[in-house]
Amino acid sequence: MKIKILLLCLLPILGFSQTSEESLIKASINGLFDGMKTSDSSKVSKAFSKNAVLQTITKNGEVKSENIKDFAVSISKAEKGSLEERITFSNILVDGNLASVWTPYEFYYKSQFSHCGVNSFQLVKSNSEWKIQYIIDTRRKDNCKK
């Protein structure tokens, strides 16, 4: 009986801890997209871990990789406010220093719809910070919610 009472007392604390971690994970991912929207290559780079991987899956199923530094440089060359990726956090899984996040998105260029898809993020927590270790996305122009 004492164990049940103890568990009932700990559940709100454990739930709050998870929510707090999820907020930090979301903030890390949102930092990437804020950096894209403001054409801030430093903010974009800061969202990624040192050895991060950035990939996309083409329509025919080919996987293409992009260098993080090259990606950040391309973002810095974009007109401020021209890149906007609207995401929805649909699933966040956390185990210790590892998080997996699924985010459907719509991408807009100069306020015009460009494409949609899903981002799959793997994040790692190092030195109390969540960083993107791996991102792979799909891209399509059909079957998009706008």
Side-chain angles (χ1 to χ4, degrees):
M1 185 66 160
K2 288 181 182 180
I3 292 175
K4 287 183 184 178
I5 292 171
L6 178 62
L7 286 174
L8 286 174
C9 290
L10 289 176
L11 280 177
I13 295 169
L14 295 173
F16 176 76
S17 174
Q18 181 69 18
T19 302
S20 176
E21 286 301 311
E22 287 181 4
S23 295
L24 293 171
I25 290 163
K26 287 179 179 181
S28 178
I29 292 171
N30 284 330
L32 166 65
F33 296 119
D34 289 344
M36 288 172 60
K37 191 171 186 176
T38 59
S39 302
D40 185 339
S41 62
S42 172
K43 199 169 192 179
V44 168
S45 296
K46 186 179 178 190
F48 291 97
S49 68
K50 183 177 153 187
N51 299 310
V53 176
L54 175 61
Q55 296 181 316
T56 191
I57 303 171
T58 65
K59 253 186 176 176
N60 65 1
E62 182 182 345
V63 176
K64 292 193 173 190
S65 298
E66 188 169 358
N67 179 282
I68 301 294
K69 287 180 183 175
D70 293 345
F71 175 69
V73 167
S74 72
I75 294 301
S76 72
K77 293 178 180 177
E79 181 183 326
K80 200 175 218 177
S82 66
L83 307 175
E84 182 181 4
E85 190 156 333
R86 300 176 188 170
I87 65 171
T88 304
F89 289 94
S90 68
N91 200 7
I92 300 174
L93 303 171
V94 181
D95 184 34
N97 294 328
L98 173 67
S100 180
V101 182
W102 186 264
T103 63
Y105 74 88
E106 294 172 355
F107 187 81
Y108 292 81
Y109 179 68
K110 295 186 176 182
S111 301
Q112 296 296 313
F113 175 78
S114 173
H115 60 276
C116 69
V118 171
N119 298 310
S120 175
F121 292 93
Q122 299 297 308
L123 291 92
V124 294
K125 187 176 184 183
S126 179
N127 299 321
S128 301
E129 285 189 295
W130 285 101
K131 299 285 187 176
I132 300 166
Q133 173 60 39
Y134 180 63
I135 180 173
I136 189 165
D137 66 57
T138 59
R139 296 177 190 180
R140 64 181 181 279
K141 292 187 181 277
D142 55 344
N143 299 318
C144 298
K145 297 180 200 175
K146 292 183 268 179

